[in-house]
Amino acid sequence: MLRNSFTARNLLRLEQQIKLRRNVILGIETSCDDTGAAVIDLQGKLIGEAISTQKSARFGGVIPTVAMFLHKDKIEHVVTEALNQANKSLEEVTAIAVTNRPGLKGPLIIGTDYAKYLCKKYNKPMIPVHHMIAHALTVRLENEVKFPFMILLISGGHCLLGLAKDVDDFVILGSSINDSPGEALDKIARYLGVHNLPGMRDLSGGQVIEILAKNGDPHAKKLGIPLRDERSCRFSFAGFKGHLHLNLEREKREGKENLNFTREELSDFCAGAQYSITKHLCERLQRGIEYSITMNLMPDKGTLVVSGGVASNQYIRSNLSKICEHYGWNALFPRPKLCTDNGVMIGWTGYELWKRGKDIIQPDQVFDVDVITRCPIGEDISQDVIDANIKCKWIKL
Ligand code: KG4
Ligand code: ZN
């Protein structure tokens, strides 16, 4: 009898100890070409992270089947590395957050299936995460940003201006009708052949353009600003390359043989492209701010959060900040490592949802979770913005 109660007490203590240690969210990201994992504790602190990047931009974009194969190859290692860094085992994980939407089908399946396997094996709940929502919320890991705030997500895969009203409540003011700004920068860089310059081979198109543009004149070889006749917050980046092509053709007619440009001339082209893309982003942001003030959707001194790979560009950052300053708004940019795709953003969003008891799938139901390749972040009110017909007095860059 005495022995039995002693064992029962011991068991209870052991169970409590395990419960106490079971205090982290594991996040997994595989929606495009980065395999990421991270561990966030239940106080919201990042304690482990790992990433394996495929650098596909250099090869002309992501090839889904190749990306899928590489995720499959890396995922176990990346998850183990993040857990090791956090000094946690899978038994100690509270729940597993994983990107299940939107993204490339094959890559999404690899991450989601791996999470399902872990949830089943270790009896853990799953938190399916929306990739874009994760981009929008990550800023809250390091900054105290209250809802609502405005978001501008600019990367190689996305372009979206919207409002974050809560962890699961978003509206879209405008998104791109074709390419993303990152795609435009990558195409322009390839078209100009700037990767062939010394030291540029391993950089993304956007990075090369930013470096060269520093020594260029932004007004010497400007490209047009798209959608100026539409009073909207929608974006268009597909026309920039065509415009550049026309400029190059003109140079050819004016006697510039073989398009053999000097570094100085290439710098002017890059500065012109960077200027035009920035100006387009700034104009859409300006209208978005004016719309949300007019419609009382944001507080007087609002906050803009900018994320995505293109948000690491210092020229773009300072100009977006300038627009915000004009309205007394605050512009925030997560550090570059958190702007690009990573596991931290998924772990963090899992933590935000877990705290509120939202979107938690019990271990016996995880096999019902599907991947969704296209999935809007929230209600699209871009037509309402057009109907409001807001004419802006453009702020000079
Ligand atoms: O978020 P991200 O790492 O990946 C996906 O879009 O999935 O963004 C990559 C994009 C690329 O198009 C790259 O050219 C662009 O971000 N990028 C930049 C800079 N660094 C990366 N664009 C402008 N300036 C930069 N410094
Ligand atoms: Zn992304």
Side-chain angles (χ1 to χ4, degrees):
M1 175 70 189
L2 193 68
R3 204 193 136 103
N4 270 355
S5 69
F6 175 76
T7 319
R9 219 179 314 131
N10 267 6
L11 266 176
L12 194 69
R13 203 174 296 149
L14 196 70
E15 215 166 68
Q16 276 168 345
Q17 271 174 2
I18 292 176
K19 228 180 208 166
L20 271 182
R21 282 182 62 81
R22 203 181 292 151
N23 54 6
V24 292
I25 306 286
L26 169 67
I28 300 177
E29 156 65 33
T30 63
S31 68
C32 187
D33 57 350
D34 294 304
T35 319
V39 181
I40 308 275
D41 72 17
L42 292 187
Q43 275 71 51
K45 195 165 154 240
L46 170 65
I47 55 172
E49 61 178 307
I51 191 151
S52 166
T53 303
Q54 299 178 15
K55 287 213 173 98
S56 349
R58 237 191 314 145
F59 308 113
V62 187
I63 304 162
T65 45
V66 176
M68 192 175 170
F69 174 78
L70 291 170
H71 283 306
K72 210 169 168 178
D73 197 38
K74 300 283 183 216
I75 193 157
E76 193 175 353
H77 176 72
V78 168
V79 168
T80 308
E81 204 182 313
L83 284 167
N84 285 348
Q85 215 181 80
N87 198 20
K88 291 280 170 189
S89 67
L90 271 156
E91 282 83 4
E92 294 166 301
V93 167
T94 309
I96 301 177
V98 62
T99 313
N100 78 319
R101 66 196 193 281
L104 301 170
K105 190 165 183 188
L108 280 174
I109 288 175
I110 299 292
T112 312
D113 275 2
Y114 188 64
K116 284 178 186 174
Y117 156 75
L118 293 180
C119 288
K120 218 46 206 164
K121 182 166 177 196
Y122 295 92
N123 195 32
K124 307 290 174 189
M126 179 192 276
I127 309 172
V129 169
H130 189 294
H131 179 86
M132 306 292 284
I133 289 183
H135 267 307
L137 295 183
T138 313
V139 68
R140 285 162 51 88
L141 167 71
E142 295 182 335
N143 300 271
E144 233 194 83
V145 187
K146 291 202 170 68
F147 295 105
F149 55 90
M150 186 173 279
I151 49 168
L152 177 63
L153 306 180
I154 42 175
S155 72
H158 350 279
C159 183
L160 183 152
L161 183 70
L163 299 177
K165 299 200 278 184
D166 202 344
V167 290
D168 56 353
D169 188 4
F170 290 79
V171 293
I172 302 167
L173 299 173
S175 52
S176 178
I177 56 170
N178 44 52
D179 289 355
S180 68
E183 266 175 295
L185 287 161
D186 293 339
K187 281 181 186 171
I188 289 169
R190 275 204 302 277
Y191 198 59
L192 290 170
V194 285
H195 281 112
N196 298 327
L197 293 170
M200 304 294 180
R201 212 185 78 87
D202 286 334
L203 302 179
S204 70
Q207 284 170 316
V208 181
I209 289 179
E210 180 172 18
I211 294 169
L212 290 177
K214 283 200 178 107
N215 301 315
D217 172 1
H219 302 291
K221 298 184 193 306
K222 271 192 292 202
L223 306 175
I225 314 293
L227 295 183
R228 269 204 152 158
D229 52 355
E230 183 181 283
R231 289 187 184 157
S232 76
C233 286
R234 304 198 305 165
F235 301 85
S236 167
F237 293 94
F240 285 117
K241 196 186 137 191
H243 203 115
L244 175 66
H245 176 76
L246 292 177
N247 285 1
L248 293 177
E249 286 296 309
R250 193 173 52 237
E251 301 258 347
K252 218 172 173 179
R253 279 198 305 276
E254 286 167 6
K256 185 84 199 173
E257 278 305 317
N258 296 333
L259 298 185
N260 228 346
F261 293 109
T262 61
R263 193 180 169 109
E264 286 65 37
E265 286 166 323
L266 286 174
S267 293
D268 283 348
F269 278 117
C270 289
Q274 183 177 256
Y275 170 85
S276 305
I277 287 174
T278 307
K279 183 84 177 111
H280 182 41
L281 289 170
C282 286
E283 289 185 0
R284 289 357 230 177
L285 169 64
Q286 202 184 329
R287 179 167 289 110
I289 293 178
E290 292 205 5
Y291 176 80
S292 46
I293 292 173
T294 312
M295 298 295 171
N296 267 324
L297 299 175
M298 287 285 290
D300 266 356
K301 301 232 172 298
T303 298
L304 169 75
V305 171
V306 191
S307 194
V310 178
S312 44
N313 183 297
Q314 292 302 326
Y315 179 81
I316 294 177
R317 279 182 179 223
S318 65
N319 282 296
L320 293 172
S321 299
K322 194 173 165 186
I323 305 292
C324 286
E325 270 162 35
H326 179 89
Y327 294 97
W329 280 35
N330 185 22
L332 280 176
F333 304 83
R335 59 186 155 93
K337 249 179 90 178
L338 292 183
C339 278
T340 55
D341 290 353
N342 60 75
V344 179
M345 64 192 218
I346 308 306
W348 173 259
T349 305
Y351 162 77
E352 295 248 39
L353 292 167
W354 178 263
K355 252 190 349 190
R356 290 165 179 77
K358 287 186 170 176
D359 297 349
I360 301 164
I361 311 291
Q362 291 312 313
D364 57 341
Q365 279 160 14
V366 293
F367 284 103
D368 296 339
V369 173
D370 282 330
V371 303
I372 310 169
T373 54
R374 287 173 165 269
C375 179
I377 193 173
E379 188 192 355
D380 186 334
I381 60 163
S382 53
Q383 189 56 49
D384 296 1
V385 178
I386 296 174
D387 294 343
N389 197 27
I390 291 174
K391 183 176 190 297
C392 300
K393 192 168 179 297
W394 299 131
I395 299 161
K396 257 189 143 45
L397 297 198

